[in-house]
Structures are given as structure tokens and as C-alpha cells.
Amino acid sequence: MKLPHIPPYKTKVVEPVYFKTKEERAAKIKEVNYNLFNLHSDWVVVDLMTDSGTGAMSEQQWAEIMLGDESYAGSESYFKLIRSVRDIMGFEFVAPTHQGRAAENILFSAVVKEGDVVPGNAHFDTTKGHIEFRKAKAVDCTIDEAFDTSIDHPFKGNIDLEKLEAVIKEYGKERIPFINITVTCNTVGGQPVSLANIREVSELANREGIPVYMDIARYAENAYFIKTREVGYSDKSIREIVTEMFQDVQVVWMSAKKDGLVNIGGFIALHDAALYEKLGQFTIIYEGFITYGGMSGRAMGALAEGLQEGVEFDYLNDRVQQVAYLGEKLKSYGIPIQDPVGGHALYIDAKRMLPNVPQSQFPAQLLGIEAYIEGGVRGVEIGTLLADKDPVTGEERFPEMELLRLAIPRRVYSLPHMDYVAATMANIKEKSANLTTGLKIIKQADILRHFTVQLEKI
Ligand code: F0G
């Protein structure tokens, strides 16, 4: 008999899960204005709100916590982090930050100005937020296939070269500080970008003299998909693929809370000494001295180790298989998801799952509310709420996709948890025809409104 796949780790410490009744959850979610961010975590049974900072660290990482050097300047933990980044990614300079959006703040303070345009594959919301905050514009050049959840395409995170060329032509390269490639592309479903596409984008960028930057929160998962889906890479190691991914990239920034396998942290890594020096000015103003940038020594040590574990094939294989397992289960119950399944999350297509709820009534948010009441499963809306109003016109922006994301924390849940989540969604599917009205906004912020929005049922 072929032995079944098992995770390449076992449990040393456990956390309790608390159970409430459906009635208690229905009352609670109303009390917190139908905003899933307002729930205390002990009111959640399976928390799939994000895979960001929610993973379990290894015993080696916990050992690094004890070894943390908390010196204000020049801590050994900082040098461990630099050595680890250089070893895996090949960049000379590393500027630590407390998380990904802090890296965006520092990097964009140095390179983005009013009137600029940043083309790329569907920018993450904080990336877009930091671009728009500087009165610049993020233009989405993702391939069309990404926006139809029923189309099978191995690299739905790819950039459409024609769209990219059109943007360069329309705005002129002087207004484009960099082209942004996000790996994997969170916003369209944790979908990978192929090496062929990275190469084509880099060639075009080189011809135009525009630098290529990468948002590498989930770069190791992207490398896993290149190894398992792209022709010619099955025999290459994850590390070799990572080297090739970054070959023609000038700057990367990372929310290390994802593939860095830590609960907090981030960094910018680059080759250019002059730009690194410029970043240092902003790091000191916004984050702290340049050798810690908002991270504690122990957090940098844990990250140095987490980066190494994050590119191990066995770890990645287990991780992506678990996400795929939930995907298969959901599909077997007829739940419409972004297909093929991406790296870190399942994206349920709320337009297809709740066809009777108009997009103006936030169907993906409604689906999230239903999942919470039904099983205490907490996901996050990636739809009209997240899209924010247009900062210039103030009009609602309706994205092509209305998704509920169920993101899987790393090394935290087991397969029975996945079965539980799938059953929760199947129960909602059964009554989906009766769900005809959604939600309306009673209070919202101007930017990144989904975190604090207050809603009521229509
Ligand atoms: N870029 C990508 C692709 C991300 O997914 C995130 C965060 C960030 C940048 C910002 O990093 O949170 O460390 O400040 N994504 C989280 C998520 C929040 O739930 O997907 P951060």
C-alpha cells in the first residue's frame, strides 16, 4: 500500500478553540455591525481571515526568540536576517520594517510622487492605498483569464504584456517609477506568476528603462507553482527557481508574515546602494534605526530562520496540498471557487454562489457573515467593500470579482478543520437561493474602509 501524505511536523503546543451557538453568533455579528474585523477571536471557531502573521513557528524559530539580540544598533539578529536574505534571494541590502505596508510606506516615500503611475498585476489593497495616498495611480494589467473563476489557467497572476505596453504608451515611462509584480497575486486568488511572464515583463521593462519591483509576500508559494506547473522546472529546486525569479528584479519588498513564517515582520531588499541610503532616511523617521526597522531582535532572528524553512519543498508541498484539499472538498459540494486553487487561500465566487444578491449590496460580505453564523468560520471579503470608492470621483467601484477569501494559516489547522469549513459552506449553498438581500453601509472611512466599516442588513 502507498503510504498517505502526512505533514512534515508534529504538535508541541496547543491552543484552545471556543464554541458558541449559531444564535449567539448571529446576535454577536449584528452587535459588531456586520464587520468581521470587529469580532474577538474567541468568538471564532476556524479563523481563516488571513494567513498573515497567523502561522505556527517551529522549535528552531522559538529558539531564535531566546537568542534575540536586542541591541539598538548592529544587533546580531539583524546580521542573521541579512545573511538569510542574501543566501536565498541574492540581494545585497536589506532594510527591515515591522510589516509589509511599512515597507511600502518607506519604499514609495522614496520613489513614488504625485501624478505617477504604477502598472502591475492586481496590486494588494495596502499597495494600492500607499500609491493612491501619494496621489499616484495603480493600473491593473493582470491577464483577463484571472477574472473568470471558472477558467482553468496555471498562472492567473500573469501580467498581460499588451495591457502593460498600452499603459507605458498612454502615460509615458517618465511617469512610471517601477512595474510591480506581486507573487503570488493575492487579489486575484493567490494566483502564481510564471517565470516566462516574469522574464517577458523584465525584457519589456529593460527596453523601456523602467525598473521591475516585486511584492514577494508569498514568493515561495509562487516558486512551488512554477516547479509543479511550468514546463522545464520540475527538476529545479525551490531555491534555484527563486534565484531565477529575482534575476532581473531591482527591488523586492516582503510582508514576512506570510512566507517568512513569522507573526510580525517585513523588509525591503535591493542591489542599489544609493536607493538603500535614501530608504534609511525614511526608516529612521517611520520605523526605527536602520538595523531593526520596527522589528525586535528576536523577531529578526525568527524571520532569518523562517525564511530558510519557507523554501523547503516538503513544507511547501504540505502547505499547498492542504489548501488544495479544501478546494477539492468545496468543489465536490458545488461551491464555486477560483480555479485552479492558489497558494494560500480559497476564494469563493460570491456572484455565482449568491446570484440573487446585487453587487451593490456586498454579496461577498454577506457570504462571510453567513459562514460566521453557520460555523464560526471567519473569512474576509475581497470585493466591493475592499475596492473602496474611487479617490478622485468618490463613486463606488465595482470590481470584476466579488470573492470571499478563506485564507489558511501556516502549520495551524488539520484536515478535519478543512472538512468542517467545507461542510459549513455546503450548508450555506443549500439555502443560497433564499438569500436575496445583502447589506448597506452606515459608516465608512475614506480609505481602506473594509477594516472599520459599519453595516446593517437590508
Ligand atoms: N502585499 C501583499 C501581496 C499582501 O498580501 C499583504 C498583506 C501586503 C502586501 C501588506 O503586508 O499586512 O504585512 O502590512 N496581506 C494580508 C492579507 C493582510 O490578509 O492578505 P502587511
Side-chain angles (χ1 to χ4, degrees):
M1 189 191 292
K2 187 172 181 280
L3 296 180
H5 166 85
I6 58 167
Y9 54 84
K10 53 190 178 175
T11 308
K12 191 180 318 237
V13 176
V14 294
E15 275 183 86
V17 172
Y18 302 97
F19 299 95
K20 305 281 197 295
T21 65
K22 274 190 215 180
E23 292 68 32
E24 285 172 320
R25 284 196 292 263
K28 179 56 79 180
I29 194 68
K30 183 165 187 242
E31 186 188 313
V32 301
N33 301 109
Y34 296 102
N35 183 333
L36 294 158
F37 289 96
N38 287 342
L39 289 168
H40 285 207
S41 61
D42 58 0
W43 275 82
V44 179
V45 178
V46 182
D47 204 346
L48 307 185
M49 172 162 256
T50 179
D51 63 321
S52 183
T54 52
M57 292 206 297
S58 68
E59 58 183 2
Q60 290 86 347
Q61 287 181 286
W62 281 106
E64 285 299 334
I65 295 281
M66 290 308 296
L67 293 171
D69 173 358
E70 303 303 338
S71 305
Y72 189 90
S75 113
E76 170 56 17
S77 306
Y78 164 70
F79 292 108
K80 270 187 192 164
L81 175 58
I82 291 195
R83 286 196 294 272
S84 195
V85 172
R86 280 185 191 154
D87 172 42
I88 297 170
M89 305 182 181
F91 292 97
E92 176 69 10
F93 302 104
V94 184
T97 63
H98 81 273
Q99 61 182 70
R101 69 200 70 185
E104 288 163 356
N105 187 27
I106 287 166
L107 182 58
F108 299 176
S109 292
V111 301
V112 178
K113 58 182 190 313
E114 185 172 342
D116 279 355
V117 174
V118 180
N121 54 347
H123 311 62
F124 183 65
D125 59 344
T126 59
T127 316
K128 189 158 79 124
H130 271 293
I131 291 169
E132 290 178 350
F133 184 70
R134 290 172 172 81
K135 297 195 164 51
K137 192 166 152 172
V139 183
D140 185 358
C141 298
T142 317
I143 56 170
D144 289 336
E145 288 88 333
F147 302 102
D148 183 339
T149 56
S150 63
I151 292 180
D152 194 10
H153 185 294
F155 292 102
K156 280 186 169 177
N158 279 358
I159 289 180
D160 184 323
L161 272 288
E162 279 176 24
K163 288 187 194 174
L164 181 59
E165 265 175 308
V167 172
I168 298 171
K169 207 164 163 206
E170 182 180 347
Y171 297 98
K173 59 185 175 197
E174 304 72 29
R175 287 175 67 188
I176 302 178
F178 62 93
I179 294 167
N180 177 28
I181 310 180
T182 304
V183 290
T184 58
C185 188
N186 189 0
T187 307
V188 297
Q191 296 292 318
V193 181
S194 70
L195 255 175
N197 190 250
I198 294 172
R199 217 173 293 121
E200 282 168 352
V201 170
S202 305
E203 277 164 17
L204 173 62
N206 269 344
R207 276 201 305 278
E208 299 285 351
I210 304 169
V212 176
Y213 289 12
M214 248 190 211
D215 175 351
I216 63 161
R218 301 180 182 84
Y219 76 103
E221 289 170 8
N222 199 92
Y224 175 89
F225 285 118
I226 289 171
K227 183 175 169 68
T228 52
R229 291 184 186 171
E230 191 160 352
V231 178
Y233 289 94
S234 60
D235 292 336
K236 298 236 164 156
S237 69
I238 296 295
R239 279 169 180 265
E240 284 170 331
I241 293 169
V242 167
T243 303
E244 212 172 317
M245 279 168 63
F246 295 162
Q247 198 163 279
D248 296 311
V249 173
Q250 280 77 27
V251 180
V252 297
W253 78 90
M254 181 171 195
S255 167
K257 300 166 76 174
K258 285 81 169 176
D259 283 355
L261 300 177
V262 286
N263 304 117
I264 194 76
F267 59 85
I268 304 159
L270 64 166
H271 299 295
D272 178 351
L275 179 55
Y276 173 68
E277 214 169 281
K278 201 167 169 192
L279 297 181
Q281 310 282 317
F282 293 105
T283 303
I284 289 168
I285 294 173
Y286 291 128
E287 290 284 277
F289 186 60
I290 49 174
T291 61
Y292 75 88
M295 291 179 80
S296 62
R298 59 184 77 102
M300 289 190 283
L303 173 55
E305 168 63 24
L307 287 170
Q308 298 291 329
E309 293 175 17
V311 291
E312 282 171 14
F313 179 79
D314 285 349
Y315 152 72
L316 281 167
N317 192 38
D318 177 67
R319 156 94 181 134
V320 177
Q321 299 283 325
Q322 188 185 39
V323 178
Y325 174 87
L326 178 55
E328 286 308 316
K329 263 264 141 98
L330 290 170
K331 280 199 278 184
S332 75
Y333 295 140
I335 315 259
I337 57 171
Q338 172 69 297
D339 220 7
V341 169
H344 66 291
L346 283 302
Y347 291 69
I348 302 177
D349 187 336
K351 280 188 184 171
R352 282 162 65 202
M353 178 116 167
L354 304 179
N356 303 326
V357 181
Q359 195 171 7
S360 58
Q361 296 179 14
F362 312 109
Q365 180 70 7
L366 181 69
L367 190 55
I369 302 298
E370 292 294 325
Y372 174 67
I373 295 172
E374 177 65 29
V377 174
R378 176 158 71 166
V380 76
E381 190 250 24
I382 309 250
T384 306
L385 272 183
L386 182 81
D388 272 337
K389 290 186 182 178
D390 188 299
V392 179
T393 65
E395 299 278 312
E396 261 323 324
R397 295 190 277 206
F398 293 107
E400 289 189 56
M401 295 202 286
E402 198 62 40
L403 305 169
L404 176 70
R405 185 185 76 171
L406 304 176
I408 317 293
R410 292 166 181 79
R411 307 190 286 205
V412 171
Y413 291 115
S414 53
L415 293 188
H417 290 102
M418 301 299 116
D419 293 337
Y420 177 93
V421 171
T424 299
M425 298 316 299
N427 287 352
I428 298 167
K429 172 96 196 328
E430 264 183 20
K431 59 174 184 190
S432 58
N434 301 332
L435 293 167
T436 53
T437 52
L439 301 143
K440 69 171 190 229
I441 293 177
I442 48 179
K443 197 167 175 211
Q444 62 183 308
D446 293 337
I447 195 165
L448 297 177
R449 65 180 177 185
H450 73 135
F451 289 116
T452 53
V453 72
Q454 294 182 13
L455 299 153
E456 67 185 18
K457 281 226 163 138
I458 293 176

